[in-house]
Amino acid sequence: MDGGEFSGATKDTGAVAYRVLARKYRPKSFDDLVGQEPMVRTLRNAFETGRIAQAYMLTGVRGVGKTTTARILARGLNYLVPGKIDKPTIDMPELGVHCAEIMEGRHVDVIEMDAASNNGIDHIREIIEAVRYKPVSARYKVYILDEVHMLSGAAFNGLLKTLEEPPEHVKFIFATTEIRKVPVTVLSRCQRFDLRRIEQDRLIGLLGTITAQEGVTIDAEALAMIARAAEGSARDSLSLLDQAIAHGAGTIVAEDVRGMLGLADRSRVIDLFEALMAGRVSDALSLLKAQYDIGAEPGVVLQDLAAFTHQVTRIKVVPGAGEDAGMAENERRRAGEFAATLPLRILSRTWQMLLKGIEEAQGSSRPLAAADMVLIRIAHASDLPTPDEALRLLKSGALPAPSSPAAPQPPSPDPGARASAPSSSAFGQGGGQGRSMAEPAFRPVEASAQPVPATAKAVPAIRFQRFEDLVAYVGLKRDLPLKLALEREVRVIRFEPGLLEFEPTADAPRTLAADIGRKLTDWTGERFMVSLGRGATTQTLAERQEAEQLKQKSDARSDPLVAAVLARFPGAEIVDVQIRGEESDAAALPAPVAADVIGDLTDDPSEQTDD
């Protein structure tokens, strides 16, 4: 993609004028176009069979190559190499007679017009009058109208007849970013090509090739940042690369690009996400302030958080999405861990709150304060358990059931005792900083030598009747690494209240047993015995879940109706099986208790989000 063929020198000084990378490496042939293979294939077949349309409509977002493609198409229509090629073609291995002038926009028979400044009926009349005359030197007279959606209604109507039945020597090529503003009467007379955004890995490869030709050293993380910021636009990516080269004086590192773009450190964004999901408000605010101090805009940090939330959600729904070349290895690994641990409901709720928060931060006169409040709301909501987790723990007795609203509570003579007593609902207070940093959502029973008065209501200690209850409890504590380890690296040998004996998997850390025992003892206030053993006959929870899913898919394939559908659609696969109509956990609980729990989970204002 060397652009030297079309570069010139200034007449007065003889010095070569600097050309920005977006112009220097502008594609000159269809082979140079990146990411537009479907359009190239269609045009190749059309040119080879002589089925050349009288008008083409090119549409797409900024910077994907609409105007450049129009020039290349005009070059292919008028390609001529004396004694070799004298017909329209998309294979142009060398410069033809008209190529240089067409690509530079100065060929007499290839007329480029900016429809934004030539949008009246008078300008269209000039085209209508000019199309009657044959081209001066080229095969076709080609009219390229850029941003054609800017034409007035009268101009569009005046063009219709000529566009439908133009002379044989005239071709029209339109380019627009607002295809919906083009009348359908015009679209029906054109062959439409939607130029796609360029994939991030393709952009990274393009930028790497150009930096090598420019003799610039750039690291992989910096390339990924530029490609991600370009949002699929080749021109935007080259403009950012040009700026980065000037900023880094020939050597580009990630820190330079991050400072230039005002971005947050990606690894720190992931740390911030982890702090939010764990409900650690103080840590989250400190991480945001640290990013702000080094130049990251609060709104950009929230956008990066939303992007990472989207990545985690995609990996959870589509596991193969984690193989994106634009993601660093550490980012891919940590996103996979979050996807395996966080419920889809929490991820969806976080996404909705971030979308609202981005608007607040960008429109606020105090962006940092607005972003702080957004993070506090998200951390508050992250401590709230999902209804199925709450109902499961209530059903197993690991949580005290909420008291009935009709039952009067005995007054407490000591205001301090009232402040330290548990609330009527373990979840009703939400997930604020006080709870996440000072006290757990489940309060252990404190040993006391004083007898409990008969009128006082004792709080039962936490008792896990099943290993699944323990895992759900760790999930409520938002200790994501420990929950993931319990699900994937523990094969239970014996489980009793206060005792866990298990055989670890080969990839389990050596300190897993000690970590489980220490954390459960800290959380519950009672000694929890954890020991290692051998000869486990059970699978890990993850293995059991995978086996159950395979069994459900196998059962589904044997169903006559499903088998008929699969036979009718070759290549179709069963992605997931959901069994409906089964009795829920809520049905097994007394109605007032279930209603209280569900009410507590929806009382928090941060839960009230729009679709």
Side-chain angles (χ1 to χ4, degrees), residues 423-447:
S423 62
S424 61
S425 171
F427 309 107
Q429 301 300 320
Q433 180 178 0
R435 189 185 77 185
S436 61
M437 301 301 295
E439 58 180 354
F442 305 89
R443 303 189 181 188
V445 179
E446 297 181 359

Side-chain angles (χ1 to χ4, degrees), residues 210-289:
I210 292 176
T211 53
Q213 294 185 20
E214 291 289 313
V216 175
T217 303
I218 184 170
D219 59 31
E221 186 178 358
L223 277 178
M225 287 181 181
I226 294 175
R228 187 162 48 237
E231 296 180 342
S233 169
R235 184 176 62 227
D236 286 8
S237 66
L238 290 177
S239 298
L240 291 173
L241 179 61
D242 222 341
Q243 183 179 352
I245 293 174
H247 185 81
T251 301
I252 308 173
V253 296
E255 287 298 326
D256 292 338
V257 176
R258 185 177 294 112
M260 181 188 75
L261 299 178
L263 299 177
D265 189 338
R266 198 71 174 176
S267 61
R268 295 186 182 181
V269 169
I270 300 176
D271 293 338
L272 176 57
F273 180 84
E274 182 177 3
L276 290 177
M277 295 298 100
R280 302 196 304 270
V281 184
S282 179
D283 292 348
L285 297 183
S286 298
L287 287 168
L288 175 61
K289 183 61 166 59

Side-chain angles (χ1 to χ4, degrees), residues 113-131:
M113 293 180 58
D114 176 18
S117 56
N118 299 276
N119 57 358
I121 183 62
D122 292 336
H123 302 100
I124 298 301
R125 287 197 184 102
E126 293 177 6
I127 296 177
I128 295 174
E129 291 296 324
V131 297

Side-chain angles (χ1 to χ4, degrees), residues 40-195:
V40 174
R41 178 181 178 182
T42 302
L43 291 175
R44 179 185 298 276
N45 294 335
F47 278 35
E48 289 178 353
T49 58
R51 307 176 68 89
I52 302 176
Q54 78 272 16
Y56 298 92
M57 179 70 69
L58 307 177
T59 179
V61 298
R62 74 201 185 281
V64 293
K66 298 182 295 296
T67 304
T68 298
T69 302
R71 290 181 178 180
I72 295 174
L73 182 55
R75 178 189 173 193
L77 289 169
N78 291 308
Y79 191 66
L80 171 63
V81 178
K84 295 182 179 180
I85 302 176
D86 188 10
K87 65 176 182 178
T89 180
I90 69 169
D91 296 318
M92 297 172 283
E94 58 181 297
L95 285 179
V97 174
H98 310 288
C99 291
E101 294 178 348
I102 291 176
M103 295 306 296
E104 292 179 3
R106 54 184 178 85
H107 196 284
V108 66
D109 292 324
V110 178
I111 302 94
E112 292 191 29
M113 293 180 58
D114 176 18
S117 56
N118 299 276
N119 57 358
I121 183 62
D122 292 336
H123 302 100
I124 298 301
R125 287 197 184 102
E126 293 177 6
I127 296 177
I128 295 174
E129 291 296 324
V131 297
R132 295 183 300 173
Y133 302 101
K134 290 184 176 295
V136 175
S137 60
R139 183 180 300 112
Y140 292 106
K141 182 178 286 189
V142 182
Y143 288 89
I144 299 176
L145 272 68
D146 202 6
E147 301 300 334
V148 70
H149 66 275
M150 300 293 290
L151 290 179
S152 65
F156 273 125
N157 292 331
L159 186 62
L160 289 179
K161 185 63 177 177
T162 302
L163 185 61
E164 185 172 10
E165 297 178 357
E168 293 183 355
H169 58 268
V170 173
K171 302 295 179 183
F172 289 95
I173 305 176
F174 302 135
T176 178
T177 54
E178 300 286 348
I179 190 65
R180 295 181 180 179
K181 295 183 179 180
V182 179
V184 66
T185 51
V186 173
L187 290 176
S188 64
R189 290 165 167 82
C190 304
Q191 282 194 7
R192 172 177 167 178
F193 294 103
D194 290 81
L195 276 65

Side-chain angles (χ1 to χ4, degrees), residues 264-318:
D265 189 338
R266 198 71 174 176
S267 61
R268 295 186 182 181
V269 169
I270 300 176
D271 293 338
L272 176 57
F273 180 84
E274 182 177 3
L276 290 177
M277 295 298 100
R280 302 196 304 270
V281 184
S282 179
D283 292 348
L285 297 183
S286 298
L287 287 168
L288 175 61
K289 183 61 166 59
Q291 293 295 287
Y292 180 77
D293 290 341
I294 63 175
E297 293 295 330
V300 175
V301 176
L302 295 183
Q303 290 177 350
D304 288 347
L305 269 177
F308 186 72
T309 303
H310 172 249
Q311 289 176 346
V312 173
T313 308
R314 287 196 70 226
I315 294 175
K316 186 174 187 65
V317 178
V318 185

Side-chain angles (χ1 to χ4, degrees), residues 397-432:
L399 275 180
S403 59
S404 173
Q409 299 295 328
S412 173
D414 183 7
R418 182 182 306 167
S420 61
S423 62
S424 61
S425 171
F427 309 107
Q429 301 300 320

